[in-house]
Amino acid sequence: MRLGLNIGFVFGGDDHLDHLRLVKEAERLGFSVTWAAEAYGSDAATLLTWIAAQTSTIDVGAAVFQIPARTPAMTAMTAATLDRLSNGRFRLGLGVSGPQVSEGWHGVRFDKPLARTREYVAIVNAAMRRETVVFEGEHFTLPLPDGPGKPLKLSIHPLRDHVPVYLAAVGPKNLELAGEIADGWLGILNDPAYLGEQLKHIATGLRRNSIQPRQSRQEGLGDFDVVASVPVMTGDDLQAAADPIRGYAALYIGGMGSREKNFYNALAVRMGYAEEAKRIQDLYLGKQHRDAMAAVPHGFIDSISLLGGKERMAEKLTAYAEAGATTVALTPFASTVEQRISDLRTVAEALELAGVGD
């Protein structure tokens, strides 16, 4: 199992410099990848390009490029450019985002997300192979049949004809799709005790993969990269260590979507927190954000996080490895960059102690 680092977004001020310090420390510690996100603020491509220019060994990954924000051809262009500029260190994470961002920010209807994702990935892969792209689907048609457009081929030569594709997936059908068409899965709110249930759906998709069949492991996942996104806070007081993560958990369970469609709330329900998930959502949508944060059970936060000291974290990392995670992507929640760097070092030591590192 390998370690990764989530750096999230750029909000302003000097936080991009803090991100760079964290990434350079992660690179020194031997982390395999750093992931940058986007919502409706900073974009991932610019941040990853800046990071790649100042590192040499750590991979840079999009977690994620939003599918409604870019045509598949534009994503292929960006992926090819980043792959060449980073000397083959780019990983392409994709996701459909949610109805609010897709329709409210990008003006793209949130309809049939699975079918849209399938077509999108097919076009990106064809373009990266430098094929002359011709595609006729329900969501994308290239070239348009009633105009002057003609089939085109990517003019830049990427270092690789296939950049690893990861899907951010939450629901069972989307997990199956990740197994079928992607090289890895970007998970969130990952409890090792529930991870096996999620990987069953990915394995179902892998068995449908006729393009890139993989040899089965015990879990049936072959070389598929299972990326568990895990908050981290060190400290002897576990309650105090969990508190900074409450806002993150409450936002996803309570506010990341509408009452009718919140994929993360539905995930918490499947994980056994139905009553708690409803209360968190009611409070959050009622603008009672502090109460929503307080309503997140400590047990839930502990289950999806690395909390405490090195020895306790080593036990948890072992649990992730045994459950089938191949990468644990850390999200440090300490208030200062110095403490976040210290926490990365602690987790690296814990992985060595656990003896499950790659």
Side-chain angles (χ1 to χ4, degrees):
M1 191 170 69
R2 300 171 294 274
L3 293 178
L5 170 66
N6 292 319
I7 56 174
F9 313 98
V10 170
F11 292 104
D14 291 334
D15 60 346
H16 62 293
L17 299 178
D18 291 344
H19 289 334
L20 182 59
R21 287 185 61 189
L22 282 172
V23 173
K24 286 189 171 182
E25 179 62 20
E27 183 174 55
R28 188 190 70 80
L29 292 168
F31 283 34
S32 65
V33 61
T34 185
W35 301 96
E38 61 185 23
Y40 44 93
S42 61
D43 75 290
T46 305
L47 179 56
L48 291 173
T49 303
W50 184 71
I51 292 290
Q54 300 176 83
T55 55
S56 58
T57 59
I58 193 168
D59 281 9
V60 291
V64 296
F65 282 174
Q66 296 172 330
I67 285 175
R70 301 172 180 85
T71 66
M74 184 70 242
T75 291
M77 291 163 61
T78 305
T81 307
L82 267 166
D83 190 51
R84 176 155 287 280
L85 295 180
S86 68
N87 197 29
R89 290 185 288 135
F90 179 60
R91 306 187 194 183
L92 175 59
L94 295 170
V96 291
S97 189
Q100 292 176 322
V101 172
S102 182
E103 299 192 7
W105 188 243
H106 298 301
V108 176
R109 292 293 181 194
F110 192 81
D111 61 336
K112 300 183 179 179
L114 297 183
R116 181 182 296 273
T117 300
R118 182 186 296 278
E119 293 185 14
Y120 196 98
V121 171
I123 296 170
V124 169
N125 284 339
M128 290 294 293
R129 292 191 298 267
R130 301 194 70 247
E131 298 175 2
T132 299
V133 178
V134 177
F135 191 88
E136 185 173 351
E138 180 181 0
H139 300 278
F140 301 98
T141 301
L142 294 171
L144 292 177
D146 53 356
K150 63 178 182 180
L152 295 173
K153 179 169 65 174
L154 187 68
S155 62
I156 185 175
H157 289 253
L159 288 181
R160 297 172 291 175
D161 62 5
H162 178 74
V163 167
V165 173
Y166 291 70
L167 291 189
V170 178
K173 292 299 183 182
N174 212 0
L175 290 168
E176 289 183 18
L177 184 66
E180 183 179 355
I181 69 172
D183 304 284
W185 167 51
L186 299 170
I188 193 169
L189 306 181
N190 292 123
D191 177 355
Y194 188 70
L195 194 59
E197 182 64 29
Q198 295 168 299
L199 298 191
K200 288 179 183 178
H201 298 294
I202 289 175
T204 297
L206 278 166
R207 289 192 289 271
R208 291 201 297 261
N209 188 329
S210 59
I211 299 175
Q212 297 179 30
R214 299 177 175 92
Q215 297 299 316
S216 295
R217 295 186 306 187
Q218 181 179 351
E219 302 87 352
L221 302 186
D223 57 0
F224 190 88
D225 192 9
V226 176
V227 182
S229 181
V230 180
V232 57
M233 273 290 294
T234 57
D236 296 331
D237 185 335
L238 297 182
Q239 292 285 344
D243 283 342
I245 303 169
R246 289 188 174 278
Y248 160 84
L251 170 63
Y252 276 91
I253 297 173
M256 198 68 77
S258 66
R259 190 179 301 277
E260 293 75 25
K261 187 168 288 188
N262 180 326
F263 305 117
Y264 310 99
N265 187 280
L267 173 60
V269 171
R270 291 194 296 273
M271 292 169 67
Y273 293 91
E275 292 183 8
E276 296 88 342
K278 183 180 185 306
R279 174 166 171 74
I280 294 165
Q281 186 178 63
D282 288 343
L283 289 168
Y284 203 98
L285 296 181
K287 307 297 184 183
Q288 297 173 270
H289 296 160
R290 290 185 179 275
D291 291 336
M293 291 165 58
V296 180
H298 173 78
F300 178 82
I301 297 173
D302 191 23
S303 72
I304 64 165
S305 307
L306 287 169
L307 303 178
K310 179 172 64 176
E311 289 75 16
R312 192 174 193 270
M313 289 183 178
E315 294 178 1
K316 188 67 168 287
L317 289 169
T318 299
Y320 276 113
E322 291 177 347
T326 53
T327 303
V328 169
L330 307 177
T331 305
F333 272 82
S335 58
T336 67
V337 66
E338 290 78 14
Q339 186 58 50
R340 293 196 290 273
I341 288 173
S342 177
D343 288 353
L344 295 185
R345 293 170 180 167
T346 298
V347 178
E349 292 171 0
L351 183 66
E352 184 175 1
L353 178 63
V356 294
D358 183 0

